[in-house]
Amino acid sequence: MENDVAKEVEAMLEKAQPLFTTKSCCIYKVPHQIRQSSEDAYTPVLVSIGPLHHGNSRLVTMEGHKQFYCQHFIQRSEASLTDLVSCVQQLEPQIRACYSEKIELTVDELVKVIFIDCCFVIDLFFRDYERTTEDDVIFSKDWVWNRVSDDLILLENQVPLFVVEKIYNLAFASRLHGGGFPSFMRLAISYFSYFNKQGVLAPTSNSIAHFTDLIRYFILPPSHKRPLRNDGPLVLGHSAFELVEAGLKFQVNKSSHGCILDLEFEHGILKIPHIIVDDFTEVWLRNIVALEQCHYPRHHYISDYVNFLAQLVNTNKDADVLIKARIIQSNVSGHDTSVAKLFRDVDKNIIVVNHNANYLQICNDLNAFYEHPCRTKIATLRRDYFTTPWKTAASIAGIVLLLLTVIQTVCSILQLIHS
């Protein structure tokens, strides 16, 4: 007699599916251990894009406005509504495979969500590019535009970029062939120009998965300049304030060409590119780091940068060192937030398997710099005798008094000898 439990197990296993297909998946629910430290940093405030936050009651208000943008895009389009929707229908299996979570929407429901959101994004970018923003609820209020833009770079709030481009290319097929009409990637680069400090030109469409990935692409150095990666822990034994006590100097790296990751150390000077740290910095850093954890587990260059700064800027004193050197421009508000806390928080619960080889070398060199016997003594003297104005004044007075005593003693001895 066949075992009933075995039959049930067999039936269950026949329905089993992998969590996600590694090659196709590019849009992830942020892992719980990372997400729990700051839910708000991964959750859209005004507008949902894609299926993961679709239906959230907090975001319903913008649904009507998204449909208004979609309607305006269809009026611009050369292709019919039927052709545009059919395009998304054909891509539905590929779209579904891009998400790490099981999408609890029917085929038709998912097609509608993706279509409306893609059309909304295209029309939004067009309005920004053409500066046709008068009397528009998003562009007429700075706080709304900022919130929408912030929501568009969240890892959980994405649609695959290839779908948006397919719709765009179908809608403007004849105009794109002329050469004067902007590509969708050109619109996206213009919209997110704040992050494009290196002046990156349009990447190939198949190299960028979505907008979070595009922001990461802006921050990375060009592919031919990306450092090698080596195993081994990234350990900086001493913070910025301690290194300054040992005689290290900090300078802004002006030869970085806009790449914030480009650190240099030579001749007792650590050069770090300028970075503006404000209330939104934690959000975009967190989402890019989360993307690297899920999608680039062996090429996490931004995670390395955050980890290095978290060790270098361990306290408010350390942050003050970099602010004074004009490396960090701090626009952080609130009593419970600081530059040091920001980098420490983003660095929490991050798992890495290798590191930027340049950073490993810099850490080794900085540790050796501090641990040189002369510098260790200098650091000890500064820490014990020159940490506050009163200690400095007392130490100088003590040294002067000692010198005077020595001089007086020498004079007394010389006087005895001559007498």
Side-chain angles (χ1 to χ4, degrees):
M1 182 177 176
E2 193 171 352
N3 189 315
D4 290 340
V5 176
K7 288 174 66 176
E8 290 175 7
V9 170
E10 183 181 15
M12 179 178 64
L13 294 180
E14 285 176 356
K15 298 177 182 177
Q17 293 181 342
L19 187 61
F20 54 84
T21 306
T22 305
K23 289 183 180 179
S24 301
C25 183
C26 61
I27 302 171
Y28 303 85
K29 192 80 172 174
V30 176
H32 174 71
Q33 280 193 314
I34 298 174
R35 204 179 201 285
Q36 66 181 347
S37 61
S38 181
E39 289 274 341
D40 291 345
Y42 309 103
T43 306
V45 174
L46 274 185
V47 59
S48 70
I49 300 294
L52 296 185
H53 288 277
H54 179 74
N56 185 328
S57 58
R58 287 172 43 190
L59 309 175
V60 169
T61 304
M62 278 296 293
E63 289 301 311
H65 202 66
K66 284 199 297 183
Q67 292 167 17
F68 171 75
Y69 268 46
C70 181
Q71 185 180 48
H72 189 258
F73 164 72
I74 293 165
Q75 291 169 359
R76 288 177 182 260
S77 170
E78 300 169 2
S80 68
L81 174 59
T82 301
D83 289 341
L84 293 170
V85 172
S86 295
C87 173
V88 179
Q89 286 174 322
Q90 292 169 14
L91 297 171
E92 191 274 340
Q94 295 170 247
I95 295 168
R96 196 177 287 270
C98 288
Y99 292 90
S100 65
E101 297 288 299
K102 183 180 179 182
I103 307 302
E104 301 292 347
L105 296 173
T106 66
V107 171
D108 289 348
E109 287 171 341
L110 181 59
V111 167
K112 283 191 285 187
V113 168
I114 296 296
F115 178 73
I116 295 291
D117 290 351
C118 287
C119 294
F120 164 73
V121 166
I122 292 170
D123 204 57
L124 176 74
F125 286 11
F126 248 128
R127 289 166 186 256
D128 178 72
Y129 185 78
E130 296 176 338
R131 298 287 185 259
T132 54
T133 58
E134 298 86 358
D135 300 323
D136 183 276
V137 70
I138 292 178
F139 290 93
S140 63
K141 295 179 174 61
D142 288 343
W143 74 270
V144 177
W145 185 87
N146 283 324
R147 289 298 186 189
V148 169
S149 300
D150 295 352
D151 286 348
L152 288 181
I153 70 167
L154 304 182
L155 178 57
E156 298 179 357
N157 210 39
Q158 299 297 318
V159 290
L161 194 57
F162 73 84
V163 187
V164 191
E165 286 196 308
K166 286 270 190 184
I167 295 173
Y168 184 88
N169 293 343
L170 178 62
F172 306 113
S174 65
R175 283 179 258 184
L176 284 166
H177 290 309
F181 198 75
S183 67
F184 178 74
M185 187 57 73
R186 186 173 164 189
L187 296 185
I189 288 174
S190 173
Y191 189 86
F192 293 113
S193 59
Y194 171 81
F195 293 97
N196 192 12
K197 308 296 185 186
Q198 300 183 78
V200 171
L201 300 176
T204 57
S205 58
N206 60 0
S207 65
I208 304 297
H210 43 68
F211 298 139
T212 316
D213 200 26
L214 180 64
I215 305 305
R216 178 179 180 270
Y217 183 85
F218 286 152
I219 296 169
L220 290 177
S223 55
H224 65 280
K225 291 185 178 179
R226 287 175 198 169
L228 297 173
R229 304 194 63 81
N230 291 335
D231 296 334
L234 187 70
V235 178
L236 180 60
H238 309 281
S239 67
F241 186 76
E242 292 171 330
L243 289 166
V244 165
E245 284 188 326
L248 184 79
K249 293 182 180 178
F250 285 91
Q251 287 183 7
V252 175
N253 188 356
K254 295 181 179 178
S255 63
S256 64
H257 304 293
C259 180
I260 63 170
L261 310 184
D262 191 6
L263 312 184
E264 296 178 12
F265 174 63
E266 57 181 359
H267 309 307
I269 300 173
L270 180 58
K271 296 180 180 180
I272 304 175
H274 176 75
I275 181 174
I276 298 172
V277 178
D278 55 29
D279 295 335
F280 182 56
T281 303
E282 181 176 353
V283 173
W284 64 260
L285 273 178
R286 276 184 176 276
N287 280 272
I288 295 174
V289 167
L291 172 64
E292 289 191 331
Q293 284 284 284
C294 298
H295 201 62
Y296 299 104
R298 295 187 176 274
H299 297 89
H300 40 76
Y301 288 99
I302 285 84
S303 301
D304 290 343
Y305 172 78
V306 169
N307 182 241
F308 181 88
L309 282 185
Q311 295 183 68
L312 184 68
V313 186
N314 196 36
T315 66
N316 291 339
K317 278 186 177 181
D318 301 316
D320 289 341
V321 168
L322 269 64
I323 291 169
K324 187 176 180 181
R326 301 183 184 277
I327 290 167
I328 290 178
Q329 178 183 326
S330 176
N331 298 331
V332 177
S333 62
H335 299 295
D336 59 343
T337 307
S338 68
V339 172
K341 183 177 183 299
L342 186 153
F343 286 110
R344 287 199 312 272
D345 287 352
V346 176
D347 191 48
K348 283 179 183 175
N349 298 318
I350 301 304
I351 298 172
V352 296
V353 294
N354 57 29
H355 288 97
N356 181 327
N358 285 358
Y359 289 8
L360 287 170
Q361 186 61 53
I362 288 172
C363 282
N364 291 337
D365 291 346
L366 287 172
N367 291 336
F369 176 90
Y370 184 91
E371 288 156 14
H372 188 281
C374 290
R375 302 194 193 283
T376 303
K377 290 174 182 176
I378 291 170
T380 301
L381 284 171
R382 286 183 173 174
R383 185 174 61 251
D384 293 346
Y385 299 103
F386 298 96
T387 51
T388 66
W390 291 109
K391 275 192 176 183
T392 301
S395 298
I396 292 171
I399 291 169
V400 171
L401 183 61
L402 179 62
L403 288 173
L404 290 174
T405 303
V406 171
I407 292 169
Q408 185 179 13
T409 302
V410 171
C411 289
S412 299
I413 293 170
L414 290 174
Q415 188 175 9
L416 287 172
I417 292 171
H418 288 297
S419 62

